[in-house]
Amino acid sequence: MDRGLHFMFCVITTMLLLGESSQAGEKNDPKMLAASKSGGPGEGLPTLTVTTILEDPYVMVRSAELEGYCIDLLKALAAMLHFSYKVKVVGDGQYGAIASSGNWTGMIGEILRQEADIAVAPLTVTSAREEVVSFTTPFLQTGIGILLRKDTTSQEMAFFHFLAPFSKETWTGLLFAYLLTCFCLFLVARLSPCEWNEPKNEENHFTFLNSLWFGAGALALQGVTPRPKALSVRVIAAVWWLFTIALLAAYIANFTALLSSGSKQLPIQTFEDLVKQRKLEFGTLDGSSTFYFFKNSKNPIHRMIYEYMDKRRDQVLVKTYQEAVQRVMESNYAFIGESISQDLAAARHCNLIRAPEVIGARGFGIATTQASPWTKQLSIAVLKLRESGDLDYLRNKWWESSCLHKSRDRWGPLQPQALGGLFLTLAIGLALGVIAAVVELSNKSRHAAGHVKKSCCSIFTEEMCTRLRIKENARQSQETSGRANA
């Protein structure tokens, strides 16, 4: 009797130990990891089986638990709609595509086989998937972009690379400002009696060529002759000096940022540029919606991309997103995929960058069975989260950049709007210089009118004609007309 009790006790103990070992094994298996539940079955809440896929930052394994954007989204939806859930990672590691046998793989296949109730993952809404499952309102908007490594995309500096700190419009405005300022110097130096007191006997040093040389010397921060004497000329010269100092400071700062950041214009800006080049291989995730987008597209450029990837399927197609990022970082490879995921890679790895062009606008949605009563409820809940700003909060939380020098990549040529106040100051200074020259000439005409007993206006007109050489030209024309009449 005692032996029988002892044997039964040993059997029960062994079974309990085996059960605990089995549970521990399931807990450590990534495919059986369960996220936090919103309530338990004992509370009378419906329990949903959720299928997902491991992809940073949507779903990640941390300390035998799942976390990420999709897990936080799932918790928020469960709290709003009052259901509990159990998360399982998709068995074949696929998103969902039609296999050669005609069956669906990945998360779509698990929903169709009723192995899961919903799929919460970066699952793109496509027409093919919409025919077999239902999707909620997209919780993330994205597109198709090109992920590149910076050092593989940098090109040689152009021969006139020193012109890059300013835009073409800025250089045009600078040339116009230079010519206008030199003309104003020439004009004011002729009008001002303090600069040119005796037009008939004295030589005017501020000729137009000398004025051009004076303005060019100021641009190079060099002192040149002639030196201005009159207040009006000095006003224009001082404003031009201020303009050139500020302009040179902006040029040097922008040119230094250009050289230090190495942010030269990417030779691969569009998908057409990617097709034309021969230096980089390019591919996408095998069986992903991106691959089928190019397969079904009628665009000639898109067809060329598909044909390239299809012919070299074993060389350019990757199995996981992590493999794609690693390959971009370690080889001459460009990855074509979801732009929002590429933004994350560029934020985490400072040597990566996404090309500007994004095509094929699409969204990530939650997949359910076609007859599921949860589709509409989940769509409404996603809209409420978007309206309350919770989706934006999750986006900023999981896409936070760890790249300290990311701002350097935003360098661009300095536009005229940034120097608008500087150009306005120069214009006001030129106007003040011209007005000061007219005032100086008016004062001299007023004093001369008292000595010769003529009107101030007539003296002012004679001075203007003498300084601008109008009188001599008028006399020559009168003599020519008189000879013709004779």
Side-chain angles (χ1 to χ4, degrees):
M1 185 72 177
D2 293 337
R3 292 181 179 179
L5 292 175
H6 180 71
F7 176 76
M8 290 180 63
F9 177 77
C10 292
V11 171
I12 294 174
T13 303
T14 303
M15 292 179 64
L16 290 175
L17 291 174
L18 290 174
E20 291 179 359
S21 176
S22 176
Q23 291 178 0
E26 291 181 357
K27 183 177 181 180
N28 294 327
D29 186 358
K31 295 183 179 180
M32 297 300 294
L33 283 172
S36 301
K37 297 181 180 180
S38 178
E43 299 180 12
L45 298 177
T47 301
L48 299 181
T49 301
V50 182
T51 181
T52 188
I53 192 170
L54 294 178
E55 181 176 331
D56 187 10
Y58 302 99
V59 180
M60 301 170 290
V61 179
R62 294 290 187 273
S63 302
E65 293 290 340
L66 293 179
E67 66 175 27
Y69 178 92
C70 289
I71 301 301
D72 287 351
L73 174 63
L74 187 57
K75 291 179 182 178
L77 294 174
M80 293 181 64
L81 300 179
H82 305 289
F83 65 84
S84 61
Y85 56 86
K86 180 179 180 181
V87 180
K88 61 186 295 289
V89 178
V90 61
D92 58 5
Q94 300 292 321
Y95 289 87
I98 302 178
S100 57
S101 61
N103 298 323
W104 280 84
T105 63
M107 292 177 283
I108 301 297
E110 290 190 351
I111 292 178
L112 293 176
R113 294 190 298 270
Q114 297 185 352
E115 297 174 6
D117 298 309
I118 61 174
V120 182
L123 191 60
T124 306
V125 181
T126 64
S127 58
R129 292 171 179 170
E130 190 75 58
E131 291 179 356
V132 294
V133 297
S134 295
F135 281 97
T136 64
T137 300
F139 57 85
L140 269 180
Q141 297 294 333
T142 183
I144 300 176
I146 309 171
L147 184 65
L148 308 159
R149 196 173 76 248
K150 290 181 180 178
D151 57 358
T152 60
T153 61
S154 60
Q155 59 182 0
E156 296 294 331
M157 289 188 178
F159 189 72
F160 293 100
H161 194 63
F162 67 93
L163 298 176
F166 289 163
S167 64
K168 295 180 181 179
E169 294 79 6
T170 304
W171 285 115
T172 303
L174 174 58
L175 178 61
F176 177 77
Y178 166 70
L179 295 176
L180 179 62
T181 302
C182 294
F183 176 76
C184 289
L185 279 172
F186 165 73
L187 178 64
V188 170
R190 278 186 167 276
L191 295 179
S192 175
C194 299
E195 192 68 45
W196 195 26
N197 192 25
E198 296 292 338
K200 296 181 180 179
N201 305 323
E202 186 181 356
E203 181 183 358
N204 189 344
H205 297 290
F206 265 99
T207 63
F208 187 68
L209 290 178
N210 286 344
S211 299
L212 290 175
W213 181 244
F214 183 89
L219 276 174
L221 298 181
Q222 301 295 319
V224 294
T225 56
R227 294 175 180 173
K229 302 176 183 178
L231 175 64
S232 55
V233 183
R234 289 180 177 181
V235 168
I236 293 180
V239 173
W240 178 244
W241 291 337
L242 176 64
F243 177 84
T244 55
I245 291 173
L247 192 73
L248 287 174
Y251 176 86
I252 293 173
N254 224 28
F255 194 59
T256 303
L258 169 64
L259 295 178
S260 61
S261 65
S263 57
K264 298 167 280 294
Q265 185 181 23
L266 294 176
I268 299 178
Q269 298 278 332
T270 64
F271 284 87
E272 183 176 358
D273 297 334
L274 184 64
V275 172
K276 291 180 178 179
Q277 60 83 37
R278 293 293 180 267
K279 182 179 179 181
L280 301 177
E281 293 182 321
F282 53 88
T284 187
L285 290 175
D286 189 10
S288 64
S289 60
T290 301
F291 180 81
Y292 288 98
F293 169 84
F294 289 100
K295 180 179 180 179
N296 300 325
S297 176
K298 303 299 181 182
N299 187 300
I301 300 297
H302 300 172
R303 293 297 304 174
M304 293 174 64
I305 293 176
Y306 167 72
E307 291 172 2
Y308 173 86
M309 294 190 299
D310 188 52
K311 290 180 180 178
R312 308 187 62 186
R313 180 184 293 266
D314 296 335
Q315 290 80 21
V316 299
L317 296 185
V318 294
K319 300 298 182 182
T320 63
Y321 175 77
Q322 289 77 10
E323 179 187 350
V325 174
Q326 195 68 22
R327 187 169 176 180
V328 172
M329 295 177 62
E330 296 178 354
S331 63
N332 292 337
Y333 181 78
F335 174 61
I336 302 175
E338 302 292 348
S339 60
I340 193 170
S341 300
Q342 295 174 349
D343 290 338
L344 174 70
R348 299 281 177 85
H349 307 282
C350 300
N351 62 332
L352 299 183
I353 190 171
R354 179 175 61 80
E357 186 181 34
V358 176
I359 61 174
R362 73 256 312 265
F364 292 155
I366 300 174
T368 65
T369 58
Q370 289 186 331
S372 175
W374 291 98
T375 307
K376 185 175 182 180
Q377 299 181 50
L378 290 170
S379 294
I380 296 174
V382 168
L383 290 174
K384 289 181 178 180
L385 291 175
R386 178 178 298 160
E387 294 169 355
S388 63
D390 291 339
L391 292 183
D392 293 334
Y393 167 76
L394 293 179
R395 173 72 164 79
N396 296 331
K397 173 184 176 181
W398 293 103
W399 269 259
E400 182 180 1
S401 175
S402 60
C403 186
L404 298 179
H405 305 289
K406 188 177 180 181
S407 60
R408 288 185 176 180
D409 297 330
R410 299 177 182 176
W411 179 91
L414 201 60
Q415 299 297 325
Q417 294 82 354
L419 301 175
L422 192 60
F423 280 93
L424 178 61
T425 302
L426 177 63
I428 295 175
L430 296 179
L432 290 177
V434 173
I435 293 173
V438 174
V439 171
E440 290 173 352
L441 187 59
S442 300
N443 290 335
K444 182 183 179 183
S445 301
R446 190 179 301 109
H447 291 297
H451 295 292
V452 299
K453 297 181 180 180
K454 290 184 178 180
S455 66
C456 181
C457 292
S458 61
I459 297 295
F460 181 81
T461 304
E462 290 177 2
E463 286 284 347
M464 289 283 291
C465 293
T466 301
R467 293 174 183 278
L468 299 178
R469 306 298 185 186
I470 299 177
K471 191 172 183 179
E472 294 181 2
N473 295 335
R475 287 179 179 178
Q476 291 177 2
S477 62
Q478 289 176 359
E479 292 177 358
T480 304
S481 61
R483 292 174 182 174
N485 293 332

